[in-house]
Structures are given as C-alpha cells and as structure tokens.
Amino acid sequence: MCGIWALFGSDECLSVQCLSAMKIAHRGPDAFRFENVNGFTNCCFGFHRLAVVDQLYGMQPIRVKKFPYLWLCYNGEIYNFKQLQKQFGFEYQTLVDGEVILHLYNRGGIEQTASMLDGVFAFILLDTANRKVFLARDTYGVRPLFKVLTDDGFLGVCSEAKGLINLKHSTSLCSKVEPFLPGHYEVLDLKPSGKVASVELVKFHSCKDEPLHVACDTVEALPPGFDLETVKSNIRILFENAVRKRLMAHRRIGCLLSGGLDSSLVAAVLLKLMKEININYPLQTFAIGMENSPDLLAAKKVAAHIGSEHHEVILNTEEGIQAIEEVIFSLETYDITTIRASIGMYLVSKYIRKKTDSVVIFSGEGSDELTQGYIYFHKAPSPEEAAEESERLLKELYLFDVLRADRTTAAHGLELRVPFLDHRFTSYYLSLPAELRIPKNGIEKYLLRLSFEDSNLLPKDILWRPKEAFSDGIASVKKSWFSILQDYIDQQVDDLLLEKAAEKYPFNPPKTKESYYYRQIFEKHYPGRSSWLPHYWMPKWVKATDPSARTLKHYKSATQE
C-alpha cells in the first residue's frame, strides 16, 4: 500500500503543486520522493512509500537500466510476478513485484500487461520513447485511483481525490476530479508541451471472465462439472490459494476478525498457511466492538479455536462519534452505510498502528457481494436476478466496501489484503449455476458455508452464524450502533434543515437527519463533489428507508430468539 501522484502539463510551479501530494502522506509513512521527468519540466511524479516488499530498492518511480525511457508509479501487489518471470524469462533488477509491469509492457504492450497481472494495482506508466502515458486499475478497484484531465490537456493522477482537488491551473477547469474505473486502462498521448490527450479507455477484465493470468497460476486446471462435491472442493482449493499468494510480505501480517463467517474463514486459513510455511511469529487478530457486542464474543471464540494472538478494542460511543468527521474526510464519501461501518474499522486500524507491529492486514471484504451474503438476497425474485445483483454489487465495490476498507486502513499506514476478491476465485464462483449460489434453508452464503463444513477450520456455530452488518455487529443487541448515532445526530440537525435538504443538496438529497449530517461534513471538505457517489447503498427487493440489516424483517439476532 502506497500513495501515488503524478502531473503532466502543469502550468503552475511544481514546488507549489507538490503540496497537494502531501495530502496523501498517510498512505506511505516510510519515505517520500518527488521527481521531475527528464525533458518535460512540467511533468512529475510523487510517491509515498509503505515498505512491504524490497525495503532497499523499492522506491518509486521505478526505473530500470534495461528500459531507461519507462517510468512507473504504482500502488499494489502483483502476486504472480515470480511466475511471470519464470514463464517469460524476465531479468529483474530489483525485488519489487511491480517491476514486472515494465517487462510485460516491453514484451506485449499495455493490454497484455493489465490482463496478466494477478493482484491489486493502480498504476501510472510513462513511456517517453513513444510519448505515451498509461493508467490502469485492478478489476475490483481494491487499490484506489483518481484523475483530473482538463480541456487543454493538463492531467493529474492520485491515489485519493484529496491530492487533486487543490491543484492550480491557468484555466478554472480543474473541477472534474473523478475515480478511475476499475478493470480499465487508459492510453494518452504525451505532447512535447507535456500536455496529454486521451486516446482510448479500455475495459480489460470483467469479473465473470476467467483472467488471462490463470495460464501461469500455481493451481493448475480444476476438475470440471457442477456436482456438489466437485464444486465444494474447487471452492476450498481456490480460496486457500487466494490466501496463500497474499502471504508475500516482508512486514508482519495480521488479520481483522469480526467473528462473522468471512473474516473468520480468512483468519483460519491464514493461520493454517502461516504454520505450513513456518512464519515464526503468532498471527495477531483484531476485533472492535462495544462491550459484550455480538462481534466481540464471536471473534473471541474464533481466536481461541484457531490459536491467534487476539486483540480486543472496546469502542465507546463518544470516541465513535468524535471520529465521524475525520472518517468522512478519509473516505471522500457521504454514503450512509459506508460511514457507519467505517468508524469501527478506522478505530481498530488506529489501534493496530499505535499498539502493534502488524502492517499487512487481511480482511473479509468482497464475500457478501460475491456469495450473496446480504440479508435482502432472501427476497430475490429468482436465482438469475440474485446472480445479476451479485455482479452489480461487485462492479460497485470501489464506491462502497472496498473504498471503506482501503481508506480506513490506509489512513493509518496499513496495507489491506482481501482474498475473497481474488480474480480466479471470484470468476469461478460466478461461473457456478445461479441456483447453487442463492441462500438456502433461510441461510445466506449457504454454498460457501457448506464448502468448509468438514474442514474443522471453524466452530460449527461460527461457520453457520447469521449475517451481522459490521456497523451493527460492533454494537450491543439492545441498541445498535446506527441507532446510537441517530440519537446523537437528532440533536445536531434541525427539522427545518431536513425539510429543505432537497433545495440545498439537489443531487442525492438526504432523506434522514443522519444522512444530512454526513453530507454537511462531506461538503465542508469536498464542496460540490457530490457526484463522486452516484447513489446511496441500499438493499434491493425490500421497502427499506435505511441500509442497516437490523431494519429488515428477516433480521433476527441470536439473543432475540
């Protein structure tokens, strides 16, 4: 996890512009570099480094002797860089996994480069010999990327929008800062003036398609067919492989553990594999919640079962409420459920950074979208519509859960790893017949649970534990986190303000005091940028006015039975 920033064709003094690059310093607390591009005095790169791999030669922009005309700034991890080296005979100059991007590009161009990378990434590649700039982002947008391109060809690129919104330019056209679409690459011509012109934006991978890099995967061809035992076995093989490849790190590995199915599976498989490869420190697991909250109790049980060094962070309501503004600033969104769920994750990340030496943090993001884990999937009219909704959620992850997971951890200089969003695992799961993937017997994620039933990785009651929304699971059952927030916010927002909300905020107008409160804070830091969120996250097929799972009829907590 790092922070990348680049400008092409700046009219303003670069020493002034680079102040904007410091807005993302939290993403790379270990080192910073600012570098001008030879021959293009108005083009530059900025890089904030979190040293996870190759601590000696890992600074960026990456340049190697073999390709002196290539400049690379990237944020991410490429898990198959050694397999690609073996397959194509690449000679690496550093131990940095991202160096493979230069070799792939030289060998087959940008299309092959983006398609062959197994990992999470956002990158800026400059080819001064052919006067091209390339931008690319991984399939699910696990690593963030924003850009601004003015009509006269000034380009700014950054890991977070906050590093672009205050850029200076001769025209007042710098307003259109927007997220770069996941699963895409863009080709831009670099003019002698340093300005650029967009040539094409190409979608190189869709979540349903088996990725091209399967050809050099460590797991070979899987048994075909959709009989249940074959499917269960393939799911276990691919998930374990997804966790194994993410063990690549020179810094200590930890794991978020809510006690729900997803994070518990990740933690259990992670600990098993760490023992297999003789990692000689205990796995630290981290849970946050109010005292006696469902998540804390379940997480403690899982940690005891798998044998991790478990840390509990007790959330008090005052601390949670005080964190709201800094969380919204970090997130760059005003989405209701994203903010709620981010408060706990932000505070547990803060604890990890201050109190431990774990830096590479595993988490369970992506499972709910992939395996139909949200409670409203029980209301899906048909398996086919449930499958379509699952794909829609995966495509929008970069606006919601993946955004939350990245920003809350990156704010504290941690690197997140999400095995459920492994390209091969997700494409296989989505290839299964729609009726196999739906909730069964009143239980969501039925197929995933069934696949691990005989593994003894988790206690049975955890494996079959009903879904808790993260923002709700950290609260006590009697009073959920969202109702605590609303009680506080009720005192902060006047009824009259809410009545006139649609006049003040015509785009995505707030419907509740809570959403109004979040919007006010967002507009304070990012005025006029409401289009970054196309729509609020809300459950489908139900008449919901609130995104919390607790407001749905199907929701039934264990202590209410």
Side-chain angles (χ1 to χ4, degrees):
M1 195 280 301
C2 300
I4 61 175
W5 181 88
L7 300 185
F8 297 91
S10 174
D11 291 341
E12 295 291 324
C13 173
L14 291 179
S15 59
V16 174
Q17 299 282 49
C18 80
L19 294 173
S20 284
M22 302 316 292
K23 295 282 178 68
I24 58 161
H26 51 273
R27 297 190 69 88
D30 295 333
F32 172 66
R33 177 183 282 174
F34 182 75
E35 191 165 338
N36 288 62
V37 178
N38 304 342
F40 295 90
T41 54
N42 57 357
C43 301
C44 61
F45 288 92
F47 178 67
H48 294 276
R49 185 169 190 222
L50 178 69
V52 172
V53 175
D54 193 352
Q55 298 183 12
L56 185 60
Y57 294 111
M59 273 307 281
Q60 296 187 35
I62 296 173
R63 303 183 68 203
V64 296
K65 288 176 185 174
K66 196 170 183 182
F67 316 119
Y69 48 88
L70 296 182
W71 304 59
L72 174 69
C73 228
Y74 91 106
N75 170 26
E77 298 81 49
I78 311 303
Y79 304 121
N80 64 342
F81 76 108
K82 287 183 178 173
Q83 290 94 305
L84 290 167
Q85 179 183 32
K86 192 175 175 183
Q87 179 158 335
F88 298 125
F90 295 151
E91 292 179 14
Y92 292 157
Q93 189 176 308
T94 71
L95 299 175
V96 180
D97 50 292
E99 187 188 330
V100 70
I101 295 170
L102 300 175
H103 295 267
L104 278 173
Y105 170 72
N106 179 69
R107 181 185 181 277
I110 190 65
E111 174 87 38
Q112 187 192 63
T113 302
S115 302
M116 289 298 287
L117 298 175
D118 182 7
V120 294
F121 57 86
F123 68 75
I124 307 152
L125 176 62
L126 169 63
D127 179 346
T128 54
N130 294 294
R131 297 268 173 95
K132 297 285 184 191
V133 177
F134 303 96
L135 310 177
R137 191 177 181 191
D138 67 76
T139 304
Y140 296 109
V142 174
R143 290 293 174 261
L145 194 66
F146 286 80
K147 67 170 240 195
V148 59
L149 179 59
T150 65
D151 288 351
D152 66 338
F154 167 53
L155 174 68
V157 188
C158 189
S159 295
E160 298 180 21
K162 55 181 69 70
L164 299 176
I165 56 173
N166 294 319
L167 289 174
K168 304 284 186 284
H169 193 59
S170 56
T171 65
S172 57
L173 300 174
C174 267
S175 58
K176 191 64 176 166
V177 175
E178 55 192 2
F180 189 83
L181 287 174
H184 285 72
Y185 68 80
E186 185 170 11
V187 182
L188 302 107
D189 281 334
L190 178 66
K191 298 172 182 176
S193 63
K195 307 277 191 192
V196 302
S198 181
V199 177
E200 58 177 345
L201 179 68
V202 178
K203 185 171 188 177
F204 66 85
H205 186 234
S206 189
C207 53
K208 281 178 79 173
D209 301 334
E210 186 175 69
L212 282 184
H213 55 69
V214 165
C216 56
D217 200 353
T218 48
V219 171
E220 292 175 9
L222 295 167
F226 296 130
D227 66 277
L228 195 55
E229 289 310 309
T230 300
V231 167
K232 284 160 56 180
S233 170
N234 288 347
I235 286 172
R236 288 193 301 272
I237 289 166
L238 288 179
F239 184 69
E240 193 166 298
N241 186 46
V243 176
R244 183 183 289 106
K245 68 178 75 164
R246 284 163 175 75
L247 289 170
M248 181 182 87
H250 295 161
R251 302 287 286 273
R252 184 167 184 164
I253 291 168
C255 188
L256 299 180
L257 179 60
S258 72
L261 173 68
D262 310 327
S263 62
S264 300
L265 266 182
V266 171
V269 173
L270 176 57
L271 191 63
K272 171 179 172 259
L273 295 176
M274 285 172 70
K275 284 178 180 173
E276 283 180 17
I277 62 170
N278 297 316
I279 288 179
N280 60 6
Y281 54 79
L283 173 67
Q284 293 179 327
T285 50
F286 304 94
I288 187 166
M290 295 159 77
E291 281 193 85
N292 297 317
S293 65
D295 276 6
L296 283 190
L297 299 172
K300 190 182 286 186
K301 185 168 190 171
V302 174
H305 182 85
I306 65 175
S308 64
E309 179 194 302
H310 191 55
H311 296 243
E312 274 188 0
V313 181
I314 304 298
L315 171 73
N316 67 60
T317 51
E318 191 177 324
E319 186 183 21
I321 285 162
Q322 281 178 348
I324 294 172
E325 181 155 353
E326 55 195 88
V327 165
I328 292 172
F329 176 72
S330 294
L331 292 175
E332 303 172 335
T333 188
Y334 52 94
D335 179 63
I336 306 159
T337 190
T338 303
I339 293 165
R340 280 183 199 155
S342 292
I343 292 165
M345 201 163 178
Y346 182 87
L347 293 172
V348 77
S349 298
K350 188 176 183 179
Y351 170 90
I352 294 168
R353 184 72 190 175
K354 281 188 171 179
K355 306 284 190 183
T356 79
D357 59 346
S358 287
V359 173
V360 176
I361 307 298
F362 280 68
S363 188
E365 268 70 35
S367 176
D368 284 324
E369 291 76 9
L370 177 67
T371 66
Q372 303 183 15
Y374 292 115
I375 287 165
Y376 72 84
F377 273 97
H378 290 281
K379 305 288 186 184
S382 69
E384 290 70 30
E385 286 186 63
E388 280 176 26
E389 174 66 358
S390 181
E391 285 172 42
R392 182 189 71 82
L393 289 169
L394 285 166
K395 285 172 189 166
E396 292 191 345
L397 266 172
Y398 77 104
L399 297 167
F400 301 109
D401 277 27
V402 153
L403 180 149
R404 163 180 58 78
D406 173 82
R407 300 303 194 287
T408 54
T409 50
H412 302 290
L414 304 176
E415 177 176 296
L416 194 78
R417 301 220 170 152
V418 283
F420 275 108
L421 291 176
D422 181 78
H423 300 164
R424 193 167 178 195
F425 179 72
T426 54
S427 65
Y428 176 75
Y429 206 96
L430 293 173
S431 76
L432 299 173
E435 60 272 13
L436 263 186
R437 295 182 270 146
I438 57 171
K440 285 190 175 63
N441 306 332
I443 299 167
E444 64 283 341
K445 291 189 266 206
Y446 187 83
L447 177 60
L448 182 65
R449 297 174 197 272
L450 199 63
S451 298
F452 286 92
E453 185 165 45
D454 299 325
S455 66
N456 198 35
L457 282 169
L458 295 172
K460 287 285 188 284
D461 58 333
I462 297 294
L463 187 65
W464 295 96
R465 184 188 175 202
K467 166 74 180 163
E468 288 265 15
F470 181 49
S471 54
D472 297 336
I474 62 171
S476 63
V477 170
K478 288 176 186 171
K479 196 156 193 183
S480 79
W481 173 232
F482 93 85
S483 62
I484 291 165
L485 275 176
Q486 286 170 336
D487 286 351
Y488 166 76
I489 289 164
D490 197 47
Q491 308 300 313
Q492 311 299 313
V493 178
D494 189 81
D495 290 345
L496 194 61
L497 285 175
L498 187 60
E499 281 174 33
K500 296 187 174 179
E503 293 173 34
K504 189 171 184 182
Y505 305 120
F507 184 77
N508 282 340
K511 298 282 192 344
T512 64
K513 287 188 175 183
E514 185 189 10
S515 60
Y516 190 96
Y517 183 69
Y518 297 158
R519 183 65 170 271
Q520 273 188 315
I521 296 170
F522 174 84
E523 294 286 347
K524 172 183 165 185
H525 293 287
Y526 307 109
R529 313 280 181 175
S530 59
S531 63
W532 289 347
L533 177 69
H535 60 86
Y536 292 106
W537 193 99
M538 279 286 175
K540 204 170 179 178
W541 306 306
V542 288
K543 288 182 180 175
T545 53
D546 190 280
S548 173
R550 288 181 181 242
T551 63
L552 303 183
K553 284 181 182 175
H554 184 88
Y555 188 92
K556 196 176 185 185
S557 183
T559 56
Q560 293 171 317
E561 289 175 358

